[in-house]
């Protein structure tokens, strides 16, 4: 999942080279807090391992493709929190052992996003819309723990690539991972999700997105304007409306 830099210093290019160990690149970020470690432990116990042991935080949400807004994918995230500011997730089209791996996502804090070059920021989607709409969920966690997890992800950003269109609820699917990786985005306005998409997930997982949204109202006070909220505005085939608390940083101080 992350780049490995192999060090050969001090190793002969013979049998002894087998003793060299690849050194993982450590992403920047603060050490995990006790709160984060407790959330990880609880997720491991309550949510299980799914198709990938070791990635204990399980999230489910939706991704529209940045260049194809109506191509919308249900993504089951299995995430590993490497430090307080950086997480990495493997994305599947389901939660069973036979689920297909169809993408990857990296999640960074607002602090790390601020360090990105301007040219890089266009690849990172904001998360406040997913959280405050109630559409991003952590199945299997008690409501209080789930809200605490979502609180920790407020104002964060994700960089997501989908590499296989495996089909979703009757949509077209490819038999193999064809074509180029697709940059994914987030829903940031009500009405962007295709009709029935959220409702189908609610029925299958026995959850109520509307209720979850209501329970997360208090998180609005944590929301700060984010880059990319308006990146796809007007590109969907339906009327859309704003989600309270979800604001594009470029629109601050401007009239709607």
């Amino acid at each position: 999942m992350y780049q490995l830099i192999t060090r050969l210093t001090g190793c002969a290019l013979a049998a002894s080279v087998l003793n060299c160990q690849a050194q993982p690149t450590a992403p920047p970020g603060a050490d995990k807090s006790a709160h984060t470690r407790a959330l990880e432990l609880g997720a491991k116990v309550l949510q299980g391992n799914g198709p990938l042991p070791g990635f204990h935080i399980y999230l489910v949400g939706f991704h529209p493709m940045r260049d194809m807004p109506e191509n919308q994918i249900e993504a089951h995230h299995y995430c590993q929190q490497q430090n307080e500011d950086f997480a990495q997730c493997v994305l599947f089209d389901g939660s069973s052992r036979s689920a297909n791996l169809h993408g990857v996502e990296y999640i960074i804090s607002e602090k790390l996003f601020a360090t990105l070059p301007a040219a890089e920021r266009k690849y990172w989607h904001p998360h406040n819309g997913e959280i405050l709409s109630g559409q991003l969920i952590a199945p299997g966690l008690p409501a209080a723990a789930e809200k605490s997890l979502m609180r920790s992800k407020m104002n964060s950003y994700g960089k997501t690539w989908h590499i296989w269109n495996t089909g979703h609820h009757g949509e077209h699917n490819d038999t193999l991972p064809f074509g180029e990786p697709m940059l994914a985005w987030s829903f940031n306005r009500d009405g962007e999700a295709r009709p029935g998409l959220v409702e189908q997930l609610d029925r299958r997982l026995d959850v109520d997105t509307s209720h979850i949204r209501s329970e997360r109202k208090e998180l609005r006070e944590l929301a700060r304007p984010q880059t990319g909220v308006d990146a796809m505005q007007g590109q969907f085939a339906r009327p859309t409306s704003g989600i309270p608390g979800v604001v594009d940083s470029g629109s601050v101080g401007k009239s709607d």
Side-chain angles (χ1 to χ4, degrees):
M1 285 295 297
Y2 52 91
Q3 182 183 11
L4 296 179
I5 302 175
T6 304
R7 297 182 178 178
L8 296 178
T9 304
C11 294
L13 297 179
S16 61
V17 75
L18 298 177
N19 295 322
C20 293
Q21 294 185 354
Q23 301 299 315
T25 299
D31 290 342
K32 295 180 188 179
S33 66
H35 177 71
T36 295
R37 294 183 186 278
L39 281 173
E40 282 187 304
L41 180 60
K44 179 179 179 180
V45 172
L46 295 170
Q47 293 184 298
N49 287 328
L52 189 67
F55 283 59
H56 300 306
I57 300 174
Y58 174 41
L59 303 170
V60 181
F62 305 98
H63 293 148
M65 298 306 103
R66 181 66 179 82
D67 295 328
M68 294 180 289
E70 296 299 331
N71 184 357
Q72 301 176 5
I73 290 178
E74 180 183 306
H76 295 250
H77 307 54
Y78 289 85
C79 301
Q80 178 188 70
Q81 192 75 38
Q82 288 199 281
N83 59 48
E84 197 65 18
D85 297 287
F86 183 93
Q88 55 188 2
C89 307
V90 186
L91 309 182
F92 291 83
D93 59 4
S95 59
S96 70
R97 294 285 182 177
S98 61
N100 295 301
L101 190 159
H102 65 171
V104 296
E105 178 167 359
Y106 299 98
I107 298 174
I108 59 175
S109 65
E110 180 183 34
K111 179 176 74 175
L112 284 190
F113 181 80
T115 70
L116 298 180
E120 171 64 21
R121 295 183 184 186
K122 65 183 180 182
Y123 299 110
W124 296 81
H125 62 263
H127 282 150
N128 286 352
E130 295 182 317
I131 295 170
L132 294 178
S133 68
Q135 292 177 6
L136 182 65
I137 60 175
L141 284 186
E146 183 185 54
K147 184 185 292 186
S148 182
L149 174 60
M150 296 303 163
R151 179 185 296 271
S152 73
K153 296 305 176 189
M154 286 294 295
N155 304 305
S156 65
Y157 291 83
K159 184 177 186 178
T160 301
W161 295 97
H162 280 283
I163 52 181
W164 188 1
N165 179 17
T166 58
H168 303 276
H169 316 304
E171 297 294 318
H172 167 76
N173 68 289
D174 295 327
T175 55
L176 290 171
F178 295 142
E180 297 181 354
M182 298 177 291
L183 180 67
W185 212 248
S186 51
F187 290 138
N188 292 286
R189 296 174 66 84
D190 288 328
E192 290 183 343
R194 290 198 317 268
L197 188 69
V198 177
E199 292 79 6
Q200 289 176 20
L201 182 66
D202 279 3
R203 288 193 293 270
R204 282 189 286 110
L205 298 187
D206 193 23
V207 298
D208 184 342
T209 294
S210 296
H211 177 72
I212 294 170
R213 176 174 179 154
S214 177
E215 291 294 305
R216 292 181 186 174
K217 283 183 179 179
E218 66 188 60
L219 298 182
R220 293 178 192 170
E221 64 187 32
L222 303 176
R224 289 183 284 274
Q226 290 196 286
T227 299
V229 168
D230 291 343
M232 299 182 72
Q233 187 172 350
Q235 298 182 33
F236 295 87
R238 297 161 295 283
T240 63
S241 58
I243 298 170
V246 180
V247 179
D248 191 284
S249 57
S251 66
V252 175
K254 299 180 182 179
S255 58
D256 196 3

